[in-house]
């Protein structure tokens, strides 16, 4: 006999909730969408109108006390929530959901800075962890098949000796994400380098594991496009714990275009470009595998649903992993502020 699907609510009615979270929840046989909350009824309704599998109840800040976020959290048929809110606002909603006894899948980053992320993890451990609640941070890049395959192949080749991560492009004013007010005028470090950059940090860290974890970094930052404050580019040199070295290049303000990871290990090379992975072991034959392009969100939500069903959190979605993603970038930002001063990683 099939188990009863877990009742969930989507918190946030923005672009990502509409285009990614809603379809991912509807795709899962383990989840059923009970409600949608947004700051405005208009955006909650817009998300609701896209639902095809169910017609969830609507809640918003402008719909009265009986349709508030707090009212939603009192519902016994909602066991879990998926949050996709502005970076600086999200922690308080996470805390409220955990306090109400709900499982949480919160969009990245875990907070606007490492200090806020640590505080949130401490709150979870003190108030909710011993109650069996699942607090996970969504990082879909850890579930994109081309990236996970490339990381698996690189791990087989041993210690990383050299690496290059390059994600370069231009966030122009016509982009739908730029038109989101809280992104266009960020109240958090890094601007788009943080908001989008934790994805690329997470992907890079999938290759830098075990003895090849990041140890130190020296980086430079700049603002090439005036509409992308406070910075739109970061170029860093990372040294690993085993002595390997590599470069991390990320820009949201560049006319250069790149989406690639090049990993040189003691046993060969793995090159990921777009959705194509090339593997060349030392003394072996080169293989090339191309993947269908996907955001990884459906895979990510499915993994979370399985974790809720089994009661065993997925380590790829742990808040500690998300905190390490954030630190990976934050140390580069601090180095850039200090004209390339060497920074030491502590959470990798």
């Amino acid at each position: 006999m099939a188990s009863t699907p877990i009742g969930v609510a989507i918190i946030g009615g923005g672009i990502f909730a509409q285009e990614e979270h809603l379809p991912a929840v509807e795709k899962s046989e383990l989840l059923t969408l009970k409600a949608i909350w947004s700051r405005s009824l208009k955006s909650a309704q817009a998300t609701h109108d896209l639902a095809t599998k169910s017609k969830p109840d609507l809640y918003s800040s402008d719909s009265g006390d009986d349709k508030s976020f707090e009212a939603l959290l009192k519902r016994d048929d909602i066991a879990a929530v998926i949050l996709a809110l502005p970076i600086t606002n999200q922690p308080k909603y996470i805390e409220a959901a955990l306090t109400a006894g709900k499982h949480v899948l919160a969009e990245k980053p875990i907070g606007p800075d490492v200090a806020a992320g640590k505080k949130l993890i401490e709150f979870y451990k003190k108030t909710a962890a011993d109650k069996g609640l699942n607090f996970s941070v969504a990082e879909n890049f850890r579930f994109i098949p081309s990236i996970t395959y490339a990381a698996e192949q690189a791990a087989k080749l041993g210690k990383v000796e050299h690496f290059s991560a390059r994600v370069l492009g231009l966030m122009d004013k016509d982009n739908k994400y730029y038109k989101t007010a809280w992104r266009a005028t960020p109240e958090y470090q890094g601007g788009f380098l943080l908001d989008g950059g934790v994805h690329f940090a997470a992907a890079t860290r999938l290759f830098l594991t075990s003895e090849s974890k990041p140890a130190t970094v020296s980086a430079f930052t700049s603002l090439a496009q005036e509409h992308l404050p406070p910075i739109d580019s970061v170029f860093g040199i990372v040294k690993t714990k085993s002595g390997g070295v590599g470069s991390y290049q990320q820009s949201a303000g560049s006319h250069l275009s790149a989406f690639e990871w090049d990993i040189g290990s003691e046993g060969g090379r793995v090159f990921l470009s777009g959705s194509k992975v090339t593997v060349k072991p030392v003394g072996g034959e080169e293989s090339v595998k191309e993947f269908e392009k996907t955001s990884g969100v459906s895979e990510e939500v499915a993994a979370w649903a399985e974790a809720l069903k089994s009661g065993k959190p997925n380590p790829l979605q742990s808040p500690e992993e998300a905190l390490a993603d954030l630190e990976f970038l934050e140390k580069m930002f601090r180095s850039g502020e200090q004209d390339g001063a060497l920074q030491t990683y502590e959470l990798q």
Side-chain angles (χ1 to χ4, degrees), residues 237-258:
I237 301 297
V238 176
K239 190 169 186 178
T240 70
K241 292 184 177 180
S242 60
V245 292
S247 62
Y248 180 88
Q249 303 177 40
Q250 182 196 337
S251 179
S254 178
H255 294 291
L256 298 176
S257 180

Side-chain angles (χ1 to χ4, degrees), residues 26 34 130 132 156-157 173 191 196-197 212 249-250 309 345:
E26 293 200 321
K34 296 289 188 179
D130 61 355
K156 296 176 183 179
L157 300 177
K173 294 179 181 179
S212 298
Q249 303 177 40
Q250 182 196 337
K309 180 182 177 182
Y345 286 115

Side-chain angles (χ1 to χ4, degrees), residues 62-128:
D62 56 4
S63 293
D65 291 344
D66 61 336
K67 290 295 182 180
S68 66
F69 178 64
E70 291 74 18
L72 181 152
L73 292 179
K74 292 178 181 178
R75 287 180 52 166
D76 293 334
D77 62 338
I78 295 174
V81 296
I82 299 175
L83 294 104
L85 299 169
I87 292 171
T88 55
N89 294 349
Q90 190 159 266
K92 65 182 181 183
Y93 287 89
I94 295 172
E95 290 184 0
L98 291 172
T99 300
K102 308 302 182 185
H103 302 294
V104 171
L105 178 64
E107 263 305 319
K108 55 74 207 166
I110 190 172
D113 51 46
V114 168
K118 285 181 177 179
K119 182 179 178 181
L120 193 54
I121 291 174
E122 289 172 5
F123 177 89
Y124 168 62
K125 290 180 177 179
K126 288 180 180 179
T127 63

Side-chain angles (χ1 to χ4, degrees), residues 20-56:
E20 297 289 355
H21 288 144
L22 177 62
V25 170
E26 293 200 321
K27 187 176 180 180
S28 173
E29 296 298 325
L30 299 179
L31 304 175
T32 180
L33 184 60
K34 296 289 188 179
I36 297 169
W37 177 92
S38 186
R39 286 173 292 175
S40 71
L41 179 60
K42 181 180 178 181
S43 60
Q45 183 70 57
T47 307
H48 172 277
D49 291 347
L50 296 173
T52 59
K53 197 172 180 180
S54 63
K55 290 302 176 184

